[in-house]
Amino acid sequence: MSPPVETFSAAELPTRVLGDVNGKRRKGIEGLKLEECEMLEILQYSCVIQGYEKGEVTRESIVQCTPIARLFRRCQDRKGSFLVETTAWEGEKTEK
């Protein structure tokens, strides 16, 4: 089981990124603007086997996959680079 993770809104991301995973303030990122960090994207797939819910899976069952784009920003602090997932934050910026 994965450890519990604190949740927060996408709007809080620019200030939350100033701290590391242990809650300590990152050093060397004074004045960091998240939108200026390099943007990266990966494409993942969510797949469903048709008939699985009804227990009707056979060798001929159709597997339907939907692509899911996930966005990240690569930023720098004194220790080196770190990645921040910004998928929800990027979507929130375009809605305004």
Side-chain angles (χ1 to χ4, degrees):
M1 181 192 303
S2 61
V5 177
E6 182 183 359
T7 60
F8 55 88
S9 72
E12 294 178 66
L13 190 58
T15 54
R16 290 292 190 127
V17 75
L18 300 175
D20 64 12
V21 294
N22 298 318
K24 294 182 180 177
R25 184 159 175 83
R26 293 182 190 275
K27 295 183 174 147
I29 61 168
E30 292 75 21
L32 173 81
K33 293 185 177 143
L34 195 54
E35 59 273 1
E36 293 177 0
C37 295
E38 176 187 11
M39 184 187 287
L40 305 168
E41 179 181 8
I42 63 170
L43 195 59
Q44 293 183 311
Y45 293 88
S46 175
C47 300
V48 178
I49 303 171
Q50 292 182 354
Y52 180 78
E53 301 83 22
K54 299 176 185 175
E56 301 171 357
V57 178
T58 66
R59 287 183 171 262
E60 291 77 32
S61 294
I62 296 172
V63 178
Q64 184 175 6
C65 296
T66 306
I68 301 170
R70 294 180 66 197
L71 303 173
F72 296 83
R73 294 285 182 149
R74 183 186 345 224
C75 301
Q76 286 282 135
D77 66 5
R78 196 177 295 164
K79 291 182 179 179
S81 65
F82 61 93
L83 289 177
V84 178
E85 183 175 1
T86 59
T87 306
W89 181 72
E90 303 288 351
E92 186 176 272
K93 285 182 4 185
T94 58
E95 291 172 5
K96 292 180 180 177

